[in-house]
Amino acid sequence: MYTDLKRYIFYFWFAFPSFSGPKYCLNDTPTLLKNTFSPTQFDLLTVGFKNLKIHQRGFFGIVPTKEGYLTVMTLKEYIDFLKNNTENDSVGYLVFADPSDLLNNPGWPLRNLLYLILFHCPSIRTSVLKVIALRGSPTTKFSASMLFNIKLSSEMVLNQDAIKFVGWEKNSKGMFCPKYVDLSKTMDSTKQAKTSVDLNLKLMKWRIAPDLNLDIVAQSKCLIIGAGTLGCCVARNLMAWGVHNITFIDNGKVSYSNPVRQSLYRHSHCINSNTYKAIAAADVLREIHPEINSTGVVMSIPMPGHAANIDDHKNVDLLSKLIEDNDVIFLLTDSRESRWLPTMLSTLHNKLAITAALGFESYLVLRHGVEVQDVSSGEKKLGCYFCNDVTAPGNSLVDKTLDQQCTVTRPGVSNIAGALAVELFVSYIQLKYNVLANAKCCLGIVPHSIRGFISDFQQIIPFTPSFFQCIACSPTVINDFLNKKEEFLSNVFTNPNYLEDLTGLTSLKNEFENIQIFEMNDSDVEDSGTYSERV
């Protein structure tokens, strides 16, 4: 036996070592001992057995007396008796504790005993040995014991080099090698956690949603951009769904105001203001569940209208690589302009992006970035976060006070939006890809967007097609990025109006401003039979 205590694995190999010889045969049919011994003799056997020392009870001898009684003696005494006894019909009984319960075959320990007897008493090979296979216990007076009459072979090898042994146990595959028992699931806390955290998911699949694909959820690689209140909430819910691979992107540090709202941070992270959120969040996830593969990337997201990002092409390439390497992108930053580049790159790489945005008492959860082919309408893509806007994102932090820079929202809104973002992802991934708005999966519908209002506790699920002049996901923007990347990014970072000019939004707004507006009064409506409208 070998014990690997670091991994809680126990290796063992059972062996019942036995000489391969001497060869013997049964001289006649085995019989139950109770058919040969009288009750008195059974009583003498039981008493004699109890008088032996424990180590002597495995092998011993019995010699009958002239009066018909029995004398129980140790193995050494029995061998000495055989040496001094020349009468072949008075060799008594050789007794061994038999682990076998077969009626016609004694157990393997008999092989070793016969070898010992022949070694010390070679003359016995010409005799028929009466062997008692002692079975049962003294309380039952060994009533299950068998009597074998054994004829030994005349051949016996005493040369130690030629002696062979048998008795090694085979494993379940019939091979001669050790078995092992893996107790890590019951003794290793990490394995215990892995088994326990999946219990709710397994019960959910077993009792409620048998078609639920938990493997595709667990194998998904999730990129969380923004490790704030929303990012922490999304990460915790992803873990609860069994996701194993989570990467955070953030360039902020944990402050004293964060721990009460952002569930992955502690007061100790705030001391000296020197702990990056992305690193701390990844570390805490591994503390919560050691099986999680979590990584923190400290980087800032290059943003339109921020001239300081003009030479930040390295972060653009890094962000593009991270989005390409992950399956789902959660856009959870706290400004509109910081969502632009991840939205554009998610569309470029055809990756599922889920945006969650907060108001004081409202929230928006939206999926976008993946092409969807609707045969009936010909629509190829659902709208992204910027498709309903007609202005490009600019620097929203310029000349803003601290209270204006922070997202001011009711505390529960972020938890609701973060949870919905994860539930939307899990529902979407059940259908894999090419998911139309409000398609149905085993968990229910898969909406395009979810808009909620806490003030009156209402929620709606509208969907919109992509806007062909969108400043983030339109083909014009994607192609300009691919064809003249450096020039395109420089223009975006320095010129707040560049994206509007590129996509034609500027011309569209100018045309709208030049449209004449007609109003009809009530009398005009009555006379014409039409309805009041504004063009």
Side-chain angles (χ1 to χ4, degrees):
M1 180 175 178
Y2 168 71
T3 306
D4 185 350
L5 292 179
K6 290 184 178 180
R7 296 190 298 161
Y8 303 104
I9 296 179
F10 297 82
Y11 298 90
F12 62 93
W13 196 352
F14 281 117
F16 305 89
S18 175
F19 291 100
S20 60
K23 295 180 180 181
Y24 65 87
C25 63
L26 300 180
N27 204 40
D28 50 25
T29 303
T31 60
L32 287 171
L33 187 61
K34 62 184 179 180
N35 295 334
T36 302
F37 275 22
S38 65
T40 301
Q41 289 176 320
F42 262 109
D43 290 337
L44 292 172
L45 170 61
T46 302
V47 172
F49 178 85
K50 291 180 178 180
N51 290 334
L52 293 173
K53 295 180 180 180
I54 293 178
H55 69 275
Q56 297 172 338
R57 294 176 180 176
F59 305 97
F60 57 93
I62 297 177
V63 176
T65 63
K66 294 181 179 180
E67 294 79 10
Y69 296 109
L70 299 178
T71 301
V72 176
M73 57 184 64
T74 65
L75 182 60
K76 183 179 184 304
E77 293 171 341
Y78 182 71
I79 291 176
D80 292 338
F81 166 78
L82 292 179
K83 288 180 179 179
N84 298 325
N85 182 41
T86 57
E87 299 182 16
N88 293 337
D89 56 346
S90 302
V91 294
Y93 300 93
L94 181 61
V95 186
F96 76 102
D98 189 5
S100 174
D101 59 358
L102 300 177
L103 295 177
N104 296 318
N105 298 94
W108 279 19
L110 178 60
R111 292 172 179 258
N112 300 332
L113 182 58
L114 293 177
Y115 192 95
L116 176 69
I117 296 297
L118 285 174
F119 183 84
H120 290 284
C121 308
S123 60
I124 204 69
R125 70 181 58 186
T126 59
S127 303
V128 175
L129 278 177
K130 295 181 179 180
V131 178
I132 296 176
L134 201 63
R135 300 174 181 178
S137 64
T139 56
T140 62
K141 296 185 177 181
F142 305 108
S143 59
S145 299
M146 299 291 297
L147 177 62
F148 296 92
N149 293 320
I150 292 177
K151 176 67 176 178
L152 296 173
S153 170
S154 59
E155 300 177 2
M156 179 163 177
V157 179
L158 297 179
N159 184 357
Q160 292 186 0
D161 295 334
I163 295 175
K164 296 181 180 180
F165 288 87
V166 294
W168 292 99
E169 187 181 54
K170 295 181 180 179
N171 64 10
S172 58
K173 296 182 179 180
M175 301 175 62
F176 286 105
C177 62
K179 299 178 181 180
Y180 74 95
V181 175
D182 186 354
L183 298 181
S184 60
K185 291 183 179 180
T186 57
M187 300 183 71
D188 186 344
S189 60
T190 301
K191 293 291 183 65
Q192 286 180 328
K194 184 179 185 303
T195 303
S196 300
V197 297
D198 292 338
L199 177 60
N200 181 60
L201 298 175
K202 292 177 180 178
L203 290 175
M204 189 188 309
K205 179 177 175 66
W206 175 46
R207 297 178 57 184
I208 300 173
D211 295 331
L212 181 63
N213 189 338
L214 294 174
D215 291 335
I216 195 172
V217 177
Q219 295 165 7
S220 296
K221 297 179 180 179
C222 298
L223 177 64
I224 297 178
I225 302 178
T229 309
L230 277 170
C232 291
C233 179
V234 166
R236 292 300 299 259
N237 280 279
L238 287 174
M239 279 204 307
W241 266 108
V243 174
H244 292 164
N245 300 286
I246 300 175
T247 301
F248 293 93
I249 293 179
D250 202 297
N251 71 332
K253 295 182 179 180
V254 184
S255 65
Y256 286 103
S257 65
N258 294 152
V260 295
R261 295 178 295 111
Q262 301 173 8
S263 59
L264 295 180
Y265 307 126
R266 307 289 181 266
H267 176 78
S268 58
H269 293 137
C270 309
I271 299 174
N272 300 323
S273 300
N274 200 34
T275 304
Y276 283 100
K277 286 186 174 182
I279 303 300
D283 290 343
V284 171
L285 285 192
R286 290 191 296 272
E287 290 180 15
I288 296 171
H289 184 22
E291 291 288 319
I292 289 291
N293 177 24
S294 59
T295 306
V297 179
V298 179
M299 67 173 290
S300 58
I301 305 297
M303 297 176 284
H306 290 245
N309 297 144
I310 190 171
D311 296 322
D312 202 4
H313 294 174
K314 181 179 179 181
N315 278 352
V316 174
D317 293 337
L318 176 57
L319 180 60
S320 179
K321 183 68 167 58
L322 288 169
I323 290 176
E324 185 178 10
D325 291 343
N326 284 273
D327 300 310
V328 57
I329 319 301
F330 289 92
L331 306 185
L332 312 173
T333 53
D334 56 3
S335 66
R336 181 169 172 265
E337 61 265 34
S338 60
R339 300 169 189 265
W340 174 81
L341 185 59
T343 298
M344 190 267 290
L345 292 174
S346 297
T347 304
L348 172 66
H349 295 298
N350 199 39
K351 296 290 185 177
L352 172 65
I354 296 181
T355 292
L358 308 178
F360 168 65
E361 55 187 16
S362 62
Y363 55 85
L364 165 67
V365 178
L366 177 79
R367 64 177 172 94
H368 54 90
V370 179
E371 289 190 2
V372 179
Q373 183 65 52
D374 186 347
V375 179
S376 60
S377 66
E379 187 60 50
K380 291 187 177 180
K381 193 164 71 237
L382 295 171
C384 77
Y385 179 69
F386 294 93
C387 279
N388 292 328
D389 291 338
V390 292
T391 58
N395 192 335
S396 62
L397 304 180
V398 174
D399 299 327
K400 296 290 183 67
T401 60
L402 179 62
D403 65 303
Q404 293 174 319
Q405 294 180 29
C406 295
T407 303
V408 180
T409 180
R410 290 173 60 168
V413 175
S414 60
N415 293 317
I416 297 173
L420 288 174
V422 175
E423 296 300 324
L424 180 59
F425 151 68
V426 173
S427 295
Y428 175 93
I429 206 69
Q430 297 303 307
L431 300 177
K432 298 183 180 178
Y433 297 100
N434 198 30
V435 183
L436 301 176
N438 296 331
K440 291 186 177 180
C441 73
C442 60
L443 295 174
I445 65 169
V446 188
H448 171 219
S449 66
I450 307 169
R451 293 179 182 269
F453 309 92
I454 302 300
S455 57
D456 53 8
F457 293 97
Q458 289 190 3
Q459 186 172 281
I460 59 175
I461 50 172
F463 68 92
T464 55
S466 61
F467 180 38
F468 73 97
Q469 290 178 285
C470 176
I471 49 89
C473 71
S474 66
T476 302
V477 173
I478 301 298
N479 291 333
D480 212 48
F481 173 78
L482 292 174
N483 295 329
K484 41 184 179 180
K485 179 179 175 181
E486 293 186 5
E487 180 184 351
F488 169 78
L489 292 174
S490 297
N491 289 331
V492 169
F493 296 150
T494 56
N495 183 0
N497 300 319
Y498 177 73
L499 289 171
E500 294 181 16
D501 296 339
L502 176 66
T503 57
L505 282 180
T506 303
S507 301
L508 183 63
K509 287 191 291 184
N510 291 336
E511 291 176 6
F512 180 78
E513 291 174 358
N514 293 331
I515 293 177
Q516 293 182 349
I517 297 178
F518 300 91
E519 292 186 358
M520 293 183 180
N521 57 32
D522 292 341
S523 60
D524 293 332
V525 173
E526 292 175 0
D527 294 339
S528 63
T530 61
Y531 54 90
S532 178
E533 63 180 3
R534 174 171 295 182
V535 180

